[in-house]
Amino acid sequence: MPYCPECNTEYKETVMHCSECDVDLLPGLVPSQGRGSVDWYVVHSVPNEVSGYILKSVLEDEGIEVFLRSNEIPAYGGLKGTLVKSEWGEILVPTYSVQRALECIKAYIDSLNQN
Ligand SMILES: [Zn+2]
């Protein structure tokens, strides 16, 4: 969901601009208070846990800090059919690493496709 970097309000996907603050919205997540001042950005979604951890290690090998977020809700014991998203989870990196992370993911996927 896009959010406003000024007031941290989440908006619908179709909204591009916060009318309260008169600033453009950023894609991704509202930065959570528990993560300090680092803004996290979703760079990729993953279909399952295994590919999530593989991509995480690919990025960490490049010295990029990675947060792997699962869409599964443990309390529901894997009842994923009730969730809107079909992906297992998402790869997040700090906004200052987004460009490098995207390049690493692309290089990794390209190398897979060559096989
Ligand atoms: Zn705002």
Side-chain angles (χ1 to χ4, degrees), residues 95-109:
T95 47
Y96 55 78
S97 297
V98 166
Q99 195 57 42
R100 216 149 55 86
L102 288 174
E103 285 167 10
C104 291
I105 291 171
K106 185 178 184 304
Y108 172 70
I109 291 173

Side-chain angles (χ1 to χ4, degrees), residues 41-99:
Y41 188 89
V42 178
V43 289
H44 207 73
S45 49
V46 289
N48 56 56
E49 188 169 2
V50 173
S51 48
Y53 279 101
I54 290 173
L55 266 183
K56 185 173 189 280
S57 68
V58 165
L59 294 175
E60 283 177 344
D61 282 351
E62 297 293 324
I64 299 171
E65 208 180 342
V66 179
F67 177 51
L68 185 57
R69 184 176 63 176
S70 168
N71 291 323
E72 283 190 45
I73 304 167
Y76 290 139
L79 274 180
K80 288 205 295 186
T82 58
L83 296 179
V84 177
K85 292 190 174 186
S86 60
E87 293 95 359
W88 174 83
E90 293 167 325
I91 303 275
L92 293 87
V93 302
T95 47
Y96 55 78
S97 297
V98 166
Q99 195 57 42

Side-chain angles (χ1 to χ4, degrees), residues 4 6-7 9 11 17-23 25:
C4 170
E6 294 295 322
C7 63
T9 304
Y11 286 88
H17 198 83
C18 180
S19 52
E20 296 289 319
C21 312
D22 195 29
V23 294
L25 304 182

